[in-house]
mmCIF file of all heavy atoms in Angstrom:
data_model
loop_
_atom_site.group_PDB
_atom_site.id
_atom_site.type_symbol
_atom_site.label_atom_id
_atom_site.label_comp_id
_atom_site.label_asym_id
_atom_site.label_seq_id
_atom_site.Cartn_x
_atom_site.Cartn_y
_atom_site.Cartn_z
ATOM 1 N N ALA A 42 -8.831 15.002 16.036
ATOM 2 C CA ALA A 42 -9.765 14.444 17.044
ATOM 3 C C ALA A 42 -11.004 15.234 16.912
ATOM 4 O O ALA A 42 -10.978 16.445 16.550
ATOM 5 C CB ALA A 42 -9.224 14.639 18.448
ATOM 6 N N SER A 45 -17.831 15.531 20.538
ATOM 7 C CA SER A 45 -19.265 15.871 20.336
ATOM 8 C C SER A 45 -19.711 17.096 21.035
ATOM 9 O O SER A 45 -19.534 17.151 22.249
ATOM 10 C CB SER A 45 -20.187 14.713 20.516
ATOM 11 O OG SER A 45 -21.475 15.176 20.409
ATOM 12 N N ARG A 71 -37.306 24.860 28.997
ATOM 13 C CA ARG A 71 -36.443 23.689 29.032
ATOM 14 C C ARG A 71 -35.448 23.788 27.942
ATOM 15 O O ARG A 71 -34.353 23.344 28.010
ATOM 16 C CB ARG A 71 -37.188 22.400 28.954
ATOM 17 C CG ARG A 71 -38.142 22.202 30.194
ATOM 18 C CD ARG A 71 -38.749 20.820 30.299
ATOM 19 N NE ARG A 71 -39.679 20.513 29.234
ATOM 20 C CZ ARG A 71 -40.948 20.727 29.325
ATOM 21 N NH1 ARG A 71 -41.474 21.316 30.324
ATOM 22 N NH2 ARG A 71 -41.774 20.420 28.210
ATOM 23 N N HIS A 91 -8.027 19.386 24.902
ATOM 24 C CA HIS A 91 -6.872 20.243 24.810
ATOM 25 C C HIS A 91 -5.691 19.892 25.735
ATOM 26 O O HIS A 91 -4.537 19.757 25.377
ATOM 27 C CB HIS A 91 -7.186 21.698 25.001
ATOM 28 C CG HIS A 91 -6.099 22.653 24.888
ATOM 29 N ND1 HIS A 91 -5.577 22.989 23.615
ATOM 30 C CD2 HIS A 91 -5.325 23.289 25.861
ATOM 31 C CE1 HIS A 91 -4.534 23.900 23.887
ATOM 32 N NE2 HIS A 91 -4.360 24.053 25.165
ATOM 33 N N ASN A 103 -17.817 18.555 16.827
ATOM 34 C CA ASN A 103 -18.854 18.212 15.893
ATOM 35 C C ASN A 103 -20.206 18.698 16.437
ATOM 36 O O ASN A 103 -20.549 18.427 17.607
ATOM 37 C CB ASN A 103 -18.927 16.674 15.713
ATOM 38 C CG ASN A 103 -20.047 16.220 14.807
ATOM 39 O OD1 ASN A 103 -19.942 16.468 13.579
ATOM 40 N ND2 ASN A 103 -21.023 15.589 15.416
ATOM 41 N N GLU A 120 -16.757 30.951 22.001
ATOM 42 C CA GLU A 120 -16.443 32.103 22.848
ATOM 43 C C GLU A 120 -15.688 31.665 24.130
ATOM 44 O O GLU A 120 -14.785 32.196 24.481
ATOM 45 C CB GLU A 120 -17.654 32.969 23.185
ATOM 46 C CG GLU A 120 -17.340 34.165 23.983
ATOM 47 C CD GLU A 120 -16.539 35.291 23.210
ATOM 48 O OE1 GLU A 120 -16.675 35.356 22.040
ATOM 49 O OE2 GLU A 120 -15.647 35.858 23.872
ATOM 50 N N ALA A 140 -20.257 28.614 8.157
ATOM 51 C CA ALA A 140 -19.133 29.227 7.539
ATOM 52 C C ALA A 140 -18.921 30.602 8.274
ATOM 53 O O ALA A 140 -17.711 30.892 8.627
ATOM 54 C CB ALA A 140 -19.322 29.417 6.179
ATOM 55 N N TYR A 150 -13.888 25.251 9.243
ATOM 56 C CA TYR A 150 -15.138 24.575 9.237
ATOM 57 C C TYR A 150 -15.101 23.489 8.192
ATOM 58 O O TYR A 150 -14.455 23.617 7.149
ATOM 59 C CB TYR A 150 -16.341 25.574 9.006
ATOM 60 C CG TYR A 150 -16.325 26.193 7.645
ATOM 61 C CD1 TYR A 150 -17.171 25.715 6.647
ATOM 62 C CD2 TYR A 150 -15.601 27.370 7.456
ATOM 63 C CE1 TYR A 150 -17.238 26.387 5.373
ATOM 64 C CE2 TYR A 150 -15.660 28.041 6.214
ATOM 65 C CZ TYR A 150 -16.536 27.487 5.218
ATOM 66 O OH TYR A 150 -16.583 28.138 3.985
ATOM 67 N N LEU A 175 -12.575 27.445 5.085
ATOM 68 C CA LEU A 175 -12.966 26.078 4.702
ATOM 69 C C LEU A 175 -11.785 25.055 4.734
ATOM 70 O O LEU A 175 -10.907 25.006 3.979
ATOM 71 C CB LEU A 175 -13.575 26.057 3.256
ATOM 72 C CG LEU A 175 -14.045 24.637 2.734
ATOM 73 C CD1 LEU A 175 -15.247 24.185 3.595
ATOM 74 C CD2 LEU A 175 -14.438 24.793 1.313
ATOM 75 N N TYR A 180 -17.016 13.949 2.913
ATOM 76 C CA TYR A 180 -18.070 13.178 2.130
ATOM 77 C C TYR A 180 -18.450 11.976 3.074
ATOM 78 O O TYR A 180 -17.638 11.107 3.304
ATOM 79 C CB TYR A 180 -17.495 12.646 0.871
ATOM 80 C CG TYR A 180 -18.522 11.728 0.211
ATOM 81 C CD1 TYR A 180 -19.640 12.223 -0.432
ATOM 82 C CD2 TYR A 180 -18.365 10.351 0.348
ATOM 83 C CE1 TYR A 180 -20.589 11.422 -1.043
ATOM 84 C CE2 TYR A 180 -19.352 9.522 -0.220
ATOM 85 C CZ TYR A 180 -20.475 10.029 -0.909
ATOM 86 O OH TYR A 180 -21.387 9.126 -1.380
ATOM 87 N N ASP A 203 -21.607 3.201 -5.296
ATOM 88 C CA ASP A 203 -20.134 3.282 -5.120
ATOM 89 C C ASP A 203 -19.660 4.639 -4.705
ATOM 90 O O ASP A 203 -20.016 5.588 -5.455
ATOM 91 C CB ASP A 203 -19.497 2.719 -6.385
ATOM 92 C CG ASP A 203 -17.887 2.740 -6.332
ATOM 93 O OD1 ASP A 203 -17.349 3.145 -5.280
ATOM 94 O OD2 ASP A 203 -17.263 2.255 -7.297
ATOM 95 N N LEU A 214 -15.944 19.326 -8.911
ATOM 96 C CA LEU A 214 -16.565 20.602 -8.591
ATOM 97 C C LEU A 214 -15.619 21.476 -7.802
ATOM 98 O O LEU A 214 -15.434 22.685 -8.169
ATOM 99 C CB LEU A 214 -17.850 20.361 -7.833
ATOM 100 C CG LEU A 214 -18.424 21.565 -7.151
ATOM 101 C CD1 LEU A 214 -19.000 22.579 -8.197
ATOM 102 C CD2 LEU A 214 -19.702 21.087 -6.284
ATOM 103 N N ARG A 256 -14.869 2.558 14.525
ATOM 104 C CA ARG A 256 -13.679 1.853 15.257
ATOM 105 C C ARG A 256 -13.327 2.505 16.573
ATOM 106 O O ARG A 256 -13.018 1.807 17.557
ATOM 107 C CB ARG A 256 -12.529 1.855 14.310
ATOM 108 C CG ARG A 256 -12.697 0.859 13.182
ATOM 109 C CD ARG A 256 -11.416 0.569 12.363
ATOM 110 N NE ARG A 256 -10.494 -0.344 13.089
ATOM 111 C CZ ARG A 256 -9.435 -0.805 12.624
ATOM 112 N NH1 ARG A 256 -9.109 -0.494 11.326
ATOM 113 N NH2 ARG A 256 -8.609 -1.630 13.298
ATOM 114 N N SER A 266 -20.388 2.131 27.612
ATOM 115 C CA SER A 266 -20.416 1.130 28.664
ATOM 116 C C SER A 266 -19.698 -0.174 28.178
ATOM 117 O O SER A 266 -19.663 -0.468 26.962
ATOM 118 C CB SER A 266 -21.826 0.824 29.033
ATOM 119 O OG SER A 266 -22.500 0.224 27.956
ATOM 120 N N ASP A 267 -19.340 -0.922 29.130
ATOM 121 C CA ASP A 267 -18.809 -2.217 28.873
ATOM 122 C C ASP A 267 -19.705 -3.135 28.185
ATOM 123 O O ASP A 267 -19.418 -3.897 27.269
ATOM 124 C CB ASP A 267 -18.325 -2.958 30.116
ATOM 125 C CG ASP A 267 -17.120 -2.265 30.835
ATOM 126 O OD1 ASP A 267 -16.457 -1.505 30.050
ATOM 127 O OD2 ASP A 267 -16.894 -2.467 31.959
ATOM 128 N N GLY A 290 -36.494 13.172 11.061
ATOM 129 C CA GLY A 290 -36.999 12.857 9.666
ATOM 130 C C GLY A 290 -35.970 12.358 8.773
ATOM 131 O O GLY A 290 -36.262 12.003 7.655
ATOM 132 N N VAL A 319 -65.887 5.583 3.226
ATOM 133 C CA VAL A 319 -65.512 5.986 1.927
ATOM 134 C C VAL A 319 -64.654 4.966 1.191
ATOM 135 O O VAL A 319 -63.803 4.410 1.856
ATOM 136 C CB VAL A 319 -64.710 7.407 1.945
ATOM 137 C CG1 VAL A 319 -63.539 7.280 2.803
ATOM 138 C CG2 VAL A 319 -64.517 7.901 0.552
ATOM 139 N N THR A 359 -51.647 9.123 14.092
ATOM 140 C CA THR A 359 -50.417 9.673 13.529
ATOM 141 C C THR A 359 -50.798 10.924 12.669
ATOM 142 O O THR A 359 -51.960 11.124 12.316
ATOM 143 C CB THR A 359 -49.638 8.692 12.657
ATOM 144 O OG1 THR A 359 -50.308 8.670 11.363
ATOM 145 C CG2 THR A 359 -49.702 7.297 13.310
ATOM 146 N N ARG A 376 -46.646 9.318 25.692
ATOM 147 C CA ARG A 376 -47.218 10.618 26.026
ATOM 148 C C ARG A 376 -46.317 11.382 26.927
ATOM 149 O O ARG A 376 -46.146 12.655 26.858
ATOM 150 C CB ARG A 376 -48.586 10.397 26.679
ATOM 151 C CG ARG A 376 -49.639 9.785 25.808
ATOM 152 C CD ARG A 376 -50.079 10.839 24.832
ATOM 153 N NE ARG A 376 -51.260 10.411 24.065
ATOM 154 C CZ ARG A 376 -51.440 10.532 22.800
ATOM 155 N NH1 ARG A 376 -50.526 10.994 21.971
ATOM 156 N NH2 ARG A 376 -52.571 10.106 22.223
#
Side-chain angles (χ1 to χ4, degrees):
S45 173
R71 294 192 295 272
H91 178 77
N103 180 68
E120 181 66 37
Y150 64 99
L175 178 63
Y180 172 80
D203 181 356
L214 168 64
R256 289 191 77 172
S266 68
D267 289 341
V319 58
T359 80
R376 293 290 191 224

